Amino acid sequence: MNEIKIFSPATVANVACGFDVLGFCLDSVGDEMLIRKIDKKGIFITKVEGFDLPYETELNVAGVSALAMYEAAKPDCGFEIEIYKKIKPGSGIGSSAASAVGSVFGMNELLGRPYNKTQLTEFAIKGEALASKCEHADNLAPAMFGGFTLVKSMSPLEILEIPSPDDLYATIIHPQIEIKTSEARAILPKEVALQNAITQWANFGSLIHALHTSDFELIQRSLNDVIVEPFRSQLIPHYHDVKNEVLKAGALGAGISGSGPSIFSLSKGLKTAMNVADAMKNVYAKTHIDFDIHITKINTEGIKIL
Amino acid sequence: MNEIKIFSPATVANVACGFDVLGFCLDSVGDEMLIRKIDKKGIFITKVEGFDLPYETELNVAGVSALAMYEAAKPDCGFEIEIYKKIKPGSGIGSSAASAVGSVFGMNELLGRPYNKTQLTEFAIKGEALASKCEHADNLAPAMFGGFTLVKSMSPLEILEIPSPDDLYATIIHPQIEIKTSEARAILPKEVALQNAITQWANFGSLIHALHTSDFELIQRSLNDVIVEPFRSQLIPHYHDVKNEVLKAGALGAGISGSGPSIFSLSKGLKTAMNVADAMKNVYAKTHIDFDIHITKINTEGIKIL
């Protein structure tokens, strides 16, 4: 096997009370990538379609994570990477993470799987850091492992796979505004009230318990973010309208996807997830802001060979 | 049935990363109480053995929680309460909580169980507040439900029962020093670094996952407290020596029990729990501080009829 085509999924990071550590994987939204083993040594980005991304390996997220793995594995070959980008960069659903995991996952398959998924995520962190200027894995982990993942620690990297109920769907709206990651980060306080932190970990522990026990009502009561949402929601016009309307439409909860501007919502069942999509649409249709909407099952498999 | 004898267990609150929300129940340490239905209306503390506690109903923790339930239930009878106190007040293993849940649990049995355990805990909160000057349920919940409990919220009161692996043992040392609850509370900061809060909820979510999956190694890696321990450990002489020694002896982790001064440790298996007890003893035997040690299985049943 000298060439492999893969699907690298979009992801939602933070998930309300799980700021900086929790994420989940989407099913019907993701990039396609083709990785080809070649005789010539090195990593080469040979095609980029969908969005305008750099061809220079060192400036391309998929290239940088590929290089990190390449330098560790020192294989007697090189790789060409074709990127068919479908996740909009800057949308807040793990566009750079999909690129970062895609290249290393594909290369690993072509080399006979010398690395496990956690090791591959370590390489992907280097690519993700190019895009977000800091090392984090809350989108990489769910893209690599699928389902819900908890990044317990970054050093050493430890990723926990949290089970989730069947019949759990996400609805995501991407209002087409730009939020600079630097701005989303700068708006966060360095310190938080101990009482709010306690509320957050009570909710987070409850959410982990609810996912284990498939308790949808408890998922609903746990999806609250008292730490980050009050700040970052200011950067997303109509955020609170969307949240109110999706809850009325039957969603289990909603929050900011990653650092935004996308807003995610979780629902029990496809029908509710579609009603939630309508509720989201109705809010933004009254504005001058363009938007995309995704309705998707939780993807429990993660990145995969096509 | 006009009289009932109950065992009301000691408990450990906070459990390192679960500050203010998590607790677990002890098996071989607890009070005995006798509750008697009488014709004369009212709540009467008729016997207190073991420690010197007030007989005036309104000044006695068990009396105050009993009154809260009595006023709600308005039964056509009264109750006498005998307390055989075995948990030392002020030791940090839920002495007041045991009293508070004991009276209402016993009365509820004698009245034919008009209330569920969450409702009983609501009444017990009133008694606990007499002792600790604030309403909290992190010792009451494990005493009432057994096992590990997560107090998700106080208003409305919501208690989650978290499963735990068989073969999990606690070792607790009570160094006989006094820590005033007010001092333990005053030493805590009002604000904490966001980065530390994130570390705490990553550990807390991991601990909930580890309890669900009976993953002892993950329990070990999750039992860290970066928020409260740095402050409250200053109030307990030799705290860090104890912690270092119990970890060397094979404990999964250790932390301050409640607001101290007791130090708890969790171990896999009775043998390790006994080695941990020796390690604790060795530290305090070199000091002039008296101490008690308890070795106990996790009590999954909670308060019970004897």
Side-chain angles (χ1 to χ4, degrees):
Chain A
M1 187 169 62
N2 279 320
E3 146 173 336
I4 192 170
K5 196 170 181 186
I6 57 167
F7 171 78
S8 195
T11 46
V12 168
N14 295 342
V15 199
C17 51
F19 178 67
D20 230 26
V21 299
L22 194 67
F24 64 80
C25 187
L26 305 184
D27 200 38
S28 58
V29 196
D31 296 341
E32 287 176 18
M33 294 171 76
L34 195 140
I35 317 292
R36 187 179 297 115
K37 200 157 98 176
I38 55 172
D39 289 338
K40 186 179 173 191
K41 287 203 170 185
I43 302 291
F44 308 94
I45 312 290
T46 51
K47 191 180 276 189
V48 176
E49 286 188 4
F51 293 91
D52 191 26
L53 298 174
Y55 278 77
E56 296 89 331
T57 305
E58 292 81 1
L59 300 180
N60 182 299
V61 166
V64 170
S65 61
L67 277 177
M69 175 172 158
Y70 190 74
E71 282 157 17
K74 299 184 177 50
D76 198 23
C77 63
F79 294 94
E80 289 179 355
I81 299 171
E82 299 181 5
I83 302 171
Y84 302 87
K85 194 84 199 153
K86 298 185 179 182
I87 313 168
K88 283 189 193 168
S91 55
I93 53 170
S95 181
S96 57
S99 294
V101 300
S103 56
V104 295
F105 177 83
M107 286 162 59
N108 192 54
E109 292 292 320
L110 293 175
L111 291 175
R113 300 190 185 170
Y115 298 111
N116 66 32
K117 286 191 164 188
T118 300
Q119 291 169 319
L120 292 178
T121 306
E122 297 260 26
F123 298 128
I125 286 170
K126 302 302 174 193
E128 177 75 301
L130 178 71
S132 64
K133 317 287 176 230
C134 82
E135 300 205 338
H136 67 99
D138 43 350
N139 287 102
L140 300 169
M144 186 66 85
F145 288 86
F148 280 76
T149 56
L150 195 175
V151 181
K152 185 193 175 296
S153 74
M154 285 295 288
S155 179
L157 181 63
E158 181 168 7
I159 296 163
L160 308 178
E161 295 180 75
I162 311 297
S164 60
D166 293 338
D167 216 25
L168 191 59
Y169 285 78
T171 313
I172 291 146
I173 188 162
H174 172 213
Q176 309 212 336
I177 56 164
E178 191 192 353
I179 295 182
K180 292 211 173 82
T181 307
S182 56
E183 193 185 1
R185 210 169 285 153
I187 205 170
L188 293 183
K190 293 266 179 298
E191 302 224 308
V192 299
L194 176 56
Q195 270 311 321
N196 285 342
I198 291 167
T199 300
Q200 193 89 345
W201 65 64
N203 280 321
F204 186 53
S206 296
L207 179 60
I208 298 299
H209 178 68
L211 290 169
H212 267 280
T213 53
S214 294
D215 184 338
F216 285 99
E217 292 182 7
L218 185 58
I219 291 174
Q220 186 163 43
R221 292 195 301 277
S222 305
L223 282 173
N224 297 307
D225 171 9
V226 299
I227 298 282
V228 169
E229 184 186 82
F231 297 95
R232 286 195 171 165
S233 62
Q234 298 167 28
L235 303 174
I236 305 171
H238 312 291
Y239 175 82
H240 292 289
D241 295 338
V242 168
K243 195 167 165 182
N244 289 339
E245 293 303 316
V246 303
L247 293 176
K248 276 191 222 161
L252 299 171
I256 302 164
S257 178
S259 55
S262 285
I263 303 170
F264 81 93
S265 172
L266 286 170
S267 298
K268 181 180 181 184
L270 179 58
K271 193 167 175 303
T272 304
M274 291 171 73
N275 292 342
V276 165
D278 288 339
M280 288 174 162
K281 259 181 232 171
N282 289 340
V283 173
Y284 276 102
K286 292 180 192 136
T287 72
H288 297 288
I289 301 169
D290 286 335
F291 57 86
D292 292 323
I293 288 198
H294 306 291
I295 304 170
T296 159
K297 211 172 178 339
I298 302 306
N299 171 356
T300 54
E301 195 182 357
I303 190 167
K304 64 180 177 188
I305 300 168
L306 285 176
Chain B
M1 188 169 60
N2 280 318
E3 156 173 324
I4 193 171
K5 196 169 183 187
I6 57 168
F7 172 78
S8 195
T11 46
V12 169
N14 295 341
V15 199
C17 51
F19 178 66
D20 230 26
V21 299
L22 194 67
F24 64 79
C25 187
L26 305 184
D27 201 37
S28 59
V29 196
D31 296 343
E32 287 176 16
M33 292 170 77
L34 194 139
I35 317 292
R36 186 179 298 117
K37 200 156 97 177
I38 55 171
D39 291 337
K40 186 179 172 188
K41 287 202 171 186
I43 302 291
F44 308 93
I45 312 290
T46 51
K47 192 181 275 188
V48 176
E49 286 189 4
F51 292 92
D52 191 25
L53 298 173
Y55 277 76
E56 297 89 330
T57 305
E58 292 80 2
L59 300 179
N60 182 298
V61 166
V64 170
S65 60
L67 277 177
M69 175 172 160
Y70 191 73
E71 282 158 17
K74 298 184 178 51
D76 198 24
C77 63
F79 293 94
E80 289 179 355
I81 300 171
E82 299 181 6
I83 303 171
Y84 301 87
K85 195 85 200 153
K86 298 184 178 182
I87 313 167
K88 282 188 194 170
S91 55
I93 54 170
S95 181
S96 57
S99 293
V101 300
S103 56
V104 295
F105 177 82
M107 286 162 59
N108 192 55
E109 291 293 318
L110 293 175
L111 291 174
R113 299 190 185 169
Y115 298 111
N116 66 31
K117 285 191 164 187
T118 300
Q119 292 168 318
L120 292 177
T121 306
E122 297 260 26
F123 298 127
I125 286 171
K126 303 302 174 193
E128 177 75 299
L130 178 72
S132 64
K133 316 289 176 229
C134 83
E135 299 206 338
H136 67 99
D138 44 349
N139 286 103
L140 299 169
M144 186 66 85
F145 288 85
F148 279 77
T149 56
L150 195 174
V151 181
K152 184 193 175 296
S153 74
M154 284 296 287
S155 179
L157 180 63
E158 182 169 6
I159 295 163
L160 309 178
E161 295 181 74
I162 311 297
S164 60
D166 293 337
D167 216 27
L168 190 59
Y169 284 79
T171 313
I172 291 146
I173 187 161
H174 172 214
Q176 311 212 336
I177 57 164
E178 191 192 354
I179 295 182
K180 292 211 174 80
T181 307
S182 56
E183 192 186 2
R185 210 169 284 154
I187 205 170
L188 294 183
K190 293 267 178 295
E191 301 223 309
V192 299
L194 175 57
Q195 269 312 319
N196 285 343
I198 292 167
T199 299
Q200 194 89 345
W201 65 64
N203 280 322
F204 186 53
S206 297
L207 180 59
I208 299 298
H209 178 68
L211 290 169
H212 267 280
T213 53
S214 293
D215 184 338
F216 286 98
E217 291 181 8
L218 185 59
I219 291 174
Q220 187 162 43
R221 292 195 301 277
S222 305
L223 282 173
N224 297 307
D225 171 10
V226 299
I227 298 281
V228 169
E229 184 186 81
F231 297 94
R232 286 195 171 164
S233 61
Q234 299 167 28
L235 303 175
I236 305 172
H238 314 291
Y239 175 82
H240 293 289
D241 295 338
V242 168
K243 196 167 166 183
N244 290 338
E245 292 304 316
V246 303
L247 293 175
K248 275 192 224 162
L252 299 171
I256 302 165
S257 178
S259 54
S262 285
I263 304 170
F264 82 93
S265 171
L266 287 169
S267 297
K268 182 180 181 183
L270 179 58
K271 195 168 173 303
T272 304
M274 290 171 72
N275 292 341
V276 165
D278 287 338
M280 288 174 162
K281 258 180 233 171
N282 289 340
V283 173
Y284 276 101
K286 293 180 192 134
T287 72
H288 297 288
I289 301 170
D290 286 335
F291 57 87
D292 292 324
I293 289 198
H294 306 291
I295 304 170
T296 160
K297 210 171 179 339
I298 302 304
N299 171 356
T300 55
E301 194 181 359
I303 190 167
K304 65 180 175 187
I305 301 168
L306 285 176

